[in-house]
Amino acid sequence: MYTSTREMAEDTDQDWKLEFRNILLSDGVDSMQRAVEFKEAHAPEILYKFFPPSTYAFEALQRVSLYLAPPADFNDPYDSAVAITGASDLFRALLEGPHVSDWREVGKGLFEQQDLLNMTEGHISEEAIERFVAFDPATSPEEIKKLAAVIPLVLEKVMSQMFAPFQELSQRGNKVTCFSERMTNAMWAHYSASHTGFCAEYRYADIPEPSMQRRLLLPVVYAAERFDLSPTFSRGLRGDLPNLTYGIATVLHKSPDWAHEREWRMVNPDGRDDGGMTVPFVLPSRIIAGVRMTEENLEKLTGLCRAKDVELVQASLSGSTYEMILKANASAADRPIDAVGSP
């Protein structure tokens, strides 16, 4: 099967980002620092951010700042949604952890320790059920069989509900703003109000180092499965020190449906459900006005760029390809932008 150069490049890009995620979630108190250093070695020269022609967008340029919003406000309901796939493993970790003696006391006369561990494997013996219902000799063998089948399912549901608040924490307790490695027609259409807004081009090297803005500007990884919190919680329940970067990792994990965006995110995992926040940033290296920007908004944008000494260019349609042409001003030479065909 033919594989295009672009597809091969995207595979390579995803490979280093998967390695970044593995480092971020690895053992050790320095995992975040090691992940940041690895990211720095692969960061793109340019990142793009798209804006609609809104009051917020013009104020962001005026104030040299960006707004970080909770993922719960984004257009994808799966954004930053986590999974708890190993509820039975979590229960086993709880039984094997430092509080196991408390659980033995609770289960005394009802279930033996091995009975409880068996539940985590998805089954429980009828003998264990008989002990549990011994206070009611009227319980029939058929009812005992039903209980043996149902109890592990109830356990799975109870454990999942126990950790449900972490879903809310991931989607409302994180603050995020988004960038892309690419400037495509699709990005213009989705995030710049159908080409009526503008795109800010940022040089990665212009973001001060060290700064929290640069440290927490991280690449998104695309995977078919949602980010699973079970391994992190299992470590904590067993008494091990969990990797505390999971709060950041949850917002860096998206469906492959979005892979064409080649997204980066600036993250603030403050854990508070209090809406968004504004943070200072750097000036763009240049601003690209959308093809359909109104004359009124273009005049406003021109004044802001002049005041901030930021280059302003105007996007226009090509007469023969799906590229867009950038013009610095009416007399400037036409110049196509990089690969802006729809993905």
Side-chain angles (χ1 to χ4, degrees):
M1 184 177 72
Y2 170 74
T3 302
S4 69
T5 302
R6 174 172 160 181
E7 288 173 329
M8 289 188 291
E10 290 183 350
D11 287 344
T12 301
D13 179 77
Q14 178 72 345
D15 287 345
W16 85 255
K17 290 174 181 175
L18 287 170
E19 179 63 19
F20 160 80
R21 184 188 64 180
N22 291 339
I23 297 171
L24 184 67
L25 294 172
S26 63
D27 293 338
V29 294
D30 64 338
S31 61
M32 181 67 191
Q33 180 60 33
R34 288 186 288 114
V36 167
E37 291 173 359
F38 184 78
K39 175 260 301 191
E40 287 289 329
H42 294 83
E45 181 180 351
I46 297 293
L47 285 171
Y48 301 98
K49 185 166 182 62
F50 295 84
F51 294 87
S54 64
T55 300
Y56 145 71
F58 291 119
E59 286 181 351
L61 182 57
Q62 169 66 37
R63 298 174 181 176
V64 196
S65 63
L66 292 175
Y67 180 75
L68 279 63
D73 292 350
F74 292 172
N75 58 0
D76 177 11
Y78 279 120
D79 202 303
S80 305
V82 297
I84 304 291
T85 61
S88 59
D89 291 337
L90 291 173
F91 191 61
R92 173 178 284 273
L94 191 63
L95 294 171
E96 293 175 344
H99 301 293
V100 64
S101 58
D102 298 335
W103 284 92
R104 284 176 177 157
E105 186 65 28
V106 171
K108 188 183 296 182
L110 299 176
F111 295 122
E112 299 296 331
Q113 182 74 2
Q114 189 56 49
D115 295 329
L116 294 170
L117 289 173
N118 285 341
M119 288 188 208
T120 70
E121 303 295 337
H123 64 271
I124 185 170
S125 68
E126 292 179 19
E127 292 78 10
I129 297 296
E130 288 175 350
R131 288 197 300 275
F132 183 69
V133 300
F135 61 91
D136 185 4
T139 305
S140 68
E142 290 73 21
E143 289 174 316
I144 289 175
K145 288 181 181 294
K146 289 179 181 179
L147 284 170
V150 167
I151 284 180
L153 299 178
V154 172
L155 168 67
E156 187 84 14
K157 184 175 181 179
V158 168
M159 294 300 289
S160 294
Q161 290 176 340
M162 184 183 299
F163 291 99
F166 289 93
Q167 185 80 276
E168 189 84 357
L169 179 64
S170 177
Q171 293 189 306
R172 294 194 176 279
N174 287 301
K175 312 297 188 298
V176 176
T177 193
C178 309
F179 302 79
S180 176
E181 296 177 25
R182 304 175 65 195
M183 182 165 51
T184 68
N185 286 333
M187 299 295 288
W188 276 104
H190 293 160
Y191 302 112
S192 193
S194 300
H195 296 258
T196 62
F198 62 92
C199 175
E201 178 184 285
Y202 294 98
R203 282 192 294 260
Y204 190 82
D206 288 345
I207 306 170
E209 183 183 11
S211 68
M212 292 305 294
Q213 287 87 337
R214 179 156 168 166
R215 180 178 179 81
L216 295 177
L217 181 55
L218 305 167
V220 168
V221 175
Y222 302 96
E225 303 295 330
R226 286 156 64 174
F227 184 81
D228 191 356
L229 286 175
S230 303
T232 296
F233 288 143
S234 291
R235 287 175 60 87
L237 290 171
R238 286 189 168 91
D240 298 328
L241 180 66
N243 187 315
L244 299 179
T245 62
Y246 76 88
I248 295 174
T250 59
V251 299
L252 301 177
H253 201 87
K254 294 185 69 173
S255 162
D257 291 345
W258 302 93
H260 66 275
E261 294 188 351
R262 302 277 287 272
E263 186 177 351
W264 283 61
R265 291 182 157 189
M266 186 190 298
V267 183
N268 182 3
D270 66 8
R272 297 195 298 268
D273 182 7
D274 56 359
M277 63 183 298
T278 299
V279 299
F281 200 47
V282 296
L283 280 170
S285 53
R286 67 175 176 173
I287 296 288
I288 302 99
V291 170
R292 295 173 174 168
M293 177 170 275
T294 65
E295 287 296 327
E296 179 183 356
N297 284 330
L298 183 57
E299 183 177 349
K300 185 184 301 184
L301 188 61
T302 300
L304 282 171
C305 288
R306 186 178 296 118
K308 296 295 182 182
D309 195 24
V310 174
E311 179 188 6
L312 175 63
V313 295
Q314 173 74 59
S316 62
L317 300 181
S318 166
S320 58
T321 72
Y322 290 108
E323 294 177 321
M324 283 183 292
I325 305 300
L326 298 188
K327 295 182 178 180
N329 53 55
S331 61
D334 293 355
R335 180 166 57 87
I337 65 177
D338 298 334
V340 295
S342 297

